[in-house]
């Protein structure tokens, strides 16, 4: 299994920081930590393998979010997504000199944040070698429409067609054993094949819309028809065991008639 996408949240509003953390975990990402000031953010960057940072421009301490981002990038380049409630031209000009992956206006919407992260991760390698014109904002970008164009999942009755090796392959929904988040991809696993989709696990679940496919972990969802045994920490299929996450356990158990 590939390592999860590690994200750092730099935000001095505690409630917003917690909300962002919960949202990212639900979307299948791993929040490596939160920081309400620049030095703490830099320390977390130095001590961990970060894939992306969400950075509020106005934070506590001697460094604002823009200077904090500059120091993070000097240590090691990563995609930066700026968050702010202010949109004045001076602030925008300072931020854009760093070529951020996105600039999101608070309050952040789920589709906007989701699209910004996926595009940031997808474009990062190219943007490091050849900086592109920075994006002013992704809050209005229709994420699902864009991703459907890139990696379609087409539902028909009790099956889906997914794009695989330049063609569409039909898969019965009940043939899916489980799905697994793998970085910016999600793997759809059947008894015979494994298919990689350039979508988050949340997007795949939304598009499959299969009630028997239940999220059990930030990185896994399982077909209930394939479950052979389970305990407090694991859900077991005939050939393997998958972790049962604490926050997903109540939803998993509610599908059983517990008397």
């Amino acid at each position: 299994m590939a390592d999860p996408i590690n994200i750092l949240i730099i935000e001095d509003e505690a409630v917003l920081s917690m909300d962002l953390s919960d949202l990212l975990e639900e979307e299948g990402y791993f929040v490596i930590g939160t920081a309400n000031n620049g030095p703490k953010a830099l320390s977390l960057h130095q001590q961990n393998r970060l894939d992306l940072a969400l950075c509020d421009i106005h934070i506590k301490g001697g460094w604002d979010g823009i200077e904090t981002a500059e120091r993070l990038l000097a240590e090691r380049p990563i995609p930066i997504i700026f968050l702010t409630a202010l949109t004045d031209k001076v602030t925008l000009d300072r931020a854009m000199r760093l070529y951020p992956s996105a600039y999101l206006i608070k309050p952040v919407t789920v589709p906007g944040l989701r699209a910004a992260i996926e595009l940031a991760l997808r474009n990062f390698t190219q943007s490091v070698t050849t900086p592109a014109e920075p994006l002013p904002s992704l809050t209005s970008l229709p994420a699902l429409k864009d991703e459907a164009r890139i990696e379609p999942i087409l539902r028909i009755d009790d099956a889906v067609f997914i794009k695989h090796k330049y063609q569409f392959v039909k898969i019965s929904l009940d043939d899916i054993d489980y799905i697994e988040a793998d970085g910016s991809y999600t793997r759809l696993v059947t008894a015979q094949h494994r298919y990689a989709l350039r979508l988050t696990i949340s997007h795949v679940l939304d598009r499959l819309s299969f009630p028997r496919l239940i999220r059990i972990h930030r990185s896994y969802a399982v077909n209930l028809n394939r479950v052979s045994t389970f305990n407090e920490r694991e859900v077991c299929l005939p050939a393997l065991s998958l972790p049962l996450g604490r926050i997903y356990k109540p939803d998993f158990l509610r599908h059983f008639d517990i008397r």
Side-chain angles (χ1 to χ4, degrees):
M1 175 180 165
D3 292 336
I5 300 299
N6 294 328
I7 296 180
L8 171 65
I9 297 173
I10 308 168
E11 169 61 62
D12 63 357
E13 295 182 33
V15 173
L16 179 55
S17 180
M18 291 174 61
D19 287 345
L20 284 171
S21 182
D22 289 344
L23 172 62
L24 290 169
E25 293 283 353
E26 289 173 2
E27 290 293 310
Y29 302 107
F30 182 74
V31 177
I32 205 73
T34 60
N36 63 2
N37 61 75
K40 182 178 179 181
L42 181 59
S43 177
L44 287 169
H45 185 37
Q46 292 168 336
Q47 296 170 19
N48 298 279
R49 183 192 65 80
L50 294 182
D51 298 300
L52 181 142
L54 292 174
C55 184
D56 188 358
I57 287 181
H58 296 279
I59 56 174
K60 296 176 180 177
W63 311 344
D64 67 2
I66 297 174
E67 183 174 354
T68 297
E70 286 180 314
R71 292 175 183 259
L72 296 183
L73 294 172
E75 181 72 24
R76 179 170 56 85
I78 57 172
I80 301 289
I81 296 176
F82 280 126
L83 309 174
T84 186
L86 302 178
T87 57
D88 62 278
K89 188 176 186 305
V90 174
T91 300
L92 266 175
D93 288 345
R94 285 187 61 219
M96 291 309 166
R97 281 196 283 269
L98 298 183
Y99 296 99
S101 298
Y103 184 97
L104 298 181
I105 307 301
K106 296 180 182 178
V108 175
T109 66
V110 174
L113 179 61
R114 186 188 295 155
I117 291 173
E118 290 301 302
L119 288 172
L121 295 172
R122 189 176 302 163
N123 296 333
F124 176 57
T125 301
Q126 180 180 355
S127 68
V128 169
T129 55
T130 308
E133 185 69 20
L135 299 175
S137 174
L138 292 178
T139 53
S140 61
L141 183 65
L144 296 182
K145 181 178 178 182
D146 181 64
E147 290 188 3
R149 179 181 61 81
I150 296 170
E151 199 72 60
I153 297 177
L154 306 177
R155 176 74 184 267
I156 179 170
D157 298 326
D158 294 325
V160 289
F161 283 87
I162 66 169
K163 194 172 183 182
H164 178 66
K165 295 182 179 178
Y166 306 104
Q167 63 181 346
F168 286 92
V169 179
K170 185 177 181 180
I171 302 171
S172 171
L173 289 170
D174 197 50
D175 286 344
I176 300 170
D177 291 341
Y178 66 97
I179 61 176
E180 172 189 3
D182 185 5
S184 59
Y185 289 82
T186 297
R187 300 189 187 280
L188 189 154
V189 181
T190 70
Q192 291 79 29
H193 300 286
R194 297 166 66 91
Y195 303 95
L197 301 170
R198 193 186 287 271
L199 296 169
T200 67
I201 189 171
S202 295
H203 290 170
V204 172
L205 286 170
D206 286 344
R207 296 190 189 183
L208 294 178
S209 188
F210 182 40
R212 305 298 288 172
L213 196 59
I214 305 302
R215 189 83 172 262
I216 61 170
H217 186 268
R218 66 173 179 263
S219 299
Y220 293 100
V222 66
N223 185 343
L224 289 178
N225 295 337
R226 299 292 185 272
V227 174
S228 55
T229 63
F230 66 88
N231 56 41
E232 290 293 319
R233 296 184 178 180
E234 293 181 323
V235 175
C236 301
L237 284 65
L240 80 163
S241 298
L242 301 175
L244 178 58
R246 178 179 56 82
I247 65 174
Y248 301 99
K249 188 185 303 181
D251 185 58
F252 174 73
L253 292 177
R254 75 175 178 81
H255 290 84
F256 297 88
D257 185 12
I258 300 175
R259 300 170 186 259

